Amino acid sequence: ALVRQTVFYANTPAGHPVVYLILNALRQSEVLWEYFLLAVAPRPAWLYVDHDLRPLHQTLLPAEGTPIAYASQTLVVPTICFLAVLATLFLAFKLRRRAPFPSYFLLWPFLAHAPTSLVPRGEQMVEYRTYLPMVGICLVLAWALTAGWRALAKRSSVTRAKALELAGAMILFAPLIWTTHIRNQVWKSPIALWTDTTKKSPLKWRPWNNLGYARETSGDLEGAIAEYTH
C-alpha cells in the first residue's frame, strides 16, 4: 500500500518520486510543529475543521505555468521545522538513559505521526490526526509539571505548595475550559461549523460547498445558492 500510494502521488509535476517525498517531508515537518502548537495553545482562532494548506510541490513545481516568483522562500520555514524535528529526535535519543520516560514521551508524538506524515497524502493537515500523538505531548507536560511541583514543594511549606499547586491548576484549566465553551458554540450546528470554517479557509472550495449543503438541508435555498456560487 505504501509503494502504491507513493507512486500514485509521485506522478506529479514534482517529477522524480524522491523529490516529491522530500517536499512532503518538509511540509509535514511544518505541519507537525503546528500540531504541537495547537496541542499546547488551542486558541479557537487557530482551530480549523478544514485547513487550507497546499502541498509544497504545487507552489514550487506547478502543473501549469512557471513557479511563483520567490516560491523558493516557502522552503525556509519547512526546512527550519525539519531541522527542529531532527534536533528533537536526537535530543530524545541522547536522553534515553538519563531520563527514559520523558525521552519516550517526547518520541511518542513523532512515532504516532509517522504513518500519516511520511506517506504522501492529498490532505496536508487534518486535526484528527493529532488525537493519538497528543497522548505523548500530554504525558510530557504532566511529567514537567509534576517535576516542577515536587521541586517547589521541597523549598516551600506543605500549605504553600498546595496553594500554589491549586492556583497553577486553575491557571492551566481555566483557558482550556473557556476554549472548549467557545468551540462548542461553533460545533452546535452544521451551519455554525462551516461558517466558521469558511472564515478561516476562504480560498478552499470544500467548506463553501459544505456550508451550502447545510443551508440547503435547513430549507434556506437562497442562502445555499449563495454559498455554492461563492
Side-chain angles (χ1 to χ4, degrees):
L2 172 61
V3 174
R4 288 198 301 270
Q5 191 168 0
T6 300
V7 172
F8 173 76
Y9 282 117
N11 187 23
T12 67
H16 197 279
V18 175
V19 175
Y20 183 77
L21 291 175
I22 292 174
L23 293 178
N24 177 74
L26 292 176
R27 173 62 84 192
Q28 288 304 308
S29 296
E30 180 184 3
V31 169
L32 184 60
W33 290 112
E34 291 193 32
Y35 285 147
F36 278 124
L37 179 62
L38 291 178
V40 299
R43 287 186 57 193
W46 295 343
L47 297 175
Y48 292 60
V49 173
D50 202 347
H51 288 260
D52 187 10
L53 188 65
R54 300 176 61 193
L56 280 177
H57 75 270
Q58 291 183 3
T59 301
L60 297 172
L61 300 165
E64 298 179 357
T66 58
I68 300 174
Y70 306 109
S72 59
Q73 293 181 1
T74 59
L75 287 174
V76 174
V77 173
T79 301
I80 293 174
C81 292
F82 179 74
L83 295 176
V85 168
L86 294 181
T88 304
L89 293 175
F90 178 76
L91 177 63
F93 179 77
K94 293 289 289 186
L95 295 176
R96 70 188 188 282
R97 294 181 179 177
R98 293 173 52 190
F101 290 109
S103 177
Y104 175 77
F105 297 155
L106 191 60
L107 282 174
W108 173 251
F110 296 97
L111 296 175
H113 267 301
T116 56
S117 296
L118 297 179
V119 177
R121 49 187 293 125
E123 200 71 39
Q124 297 297 294
M125 183 174 181
V126 185
E127 289 177 6
Y128 67 76
R129 289 169 54 198
T130 197
Y131 293 166
L132 183 59
M134 278 183 64
V135 173
I137 300 174
C138 292
L139 291 174
V140 169
L141 293 176
W143 174 85
L145 289 174
T146 301
W149 291 130
R150 288 176 177 175
L152 183 63
K154 292 180 179 180
R155 299 183 179 182
S156 307
S157 63
V158 176
T159 303
R160 183 180 179 183
K162 290 292 184 181
L164 290 174
E165 183 177 354
L166 179 61
M170 293 179 64
I171 293 173
L172 178 65
F173 288 116
L176 296 178
I177 293 172
W178 177 246
T179 300
T180 301
H181 170 72
I182 294 175
R183 291 300 292 173
N184 282 341
Q185 299 305 307
V186 172
W187 281 85
K188 67 181 180 181
S189 70
I191 292 179
L193 176 64
W194 293 111
T195 297
D196 175 79
T197 309
T198 55
K199 293 178 180 178
K200 296 173 179 176
S201 296
L203 301 179
K204 197 168 187 178
W205 67 268
R206 188 163 53 192
W208 293 105
N209 183 75
N210 290 348
L211 178 57
Y213 180 75
R215 293 194 184 281
E216 180 183 352
T217 54
S218 68
D220 182 9
L221 297 183
E222 292 185 2
I225 293 174
E227 307 301 352
Y228 284 139
T229 58
H230 187 276

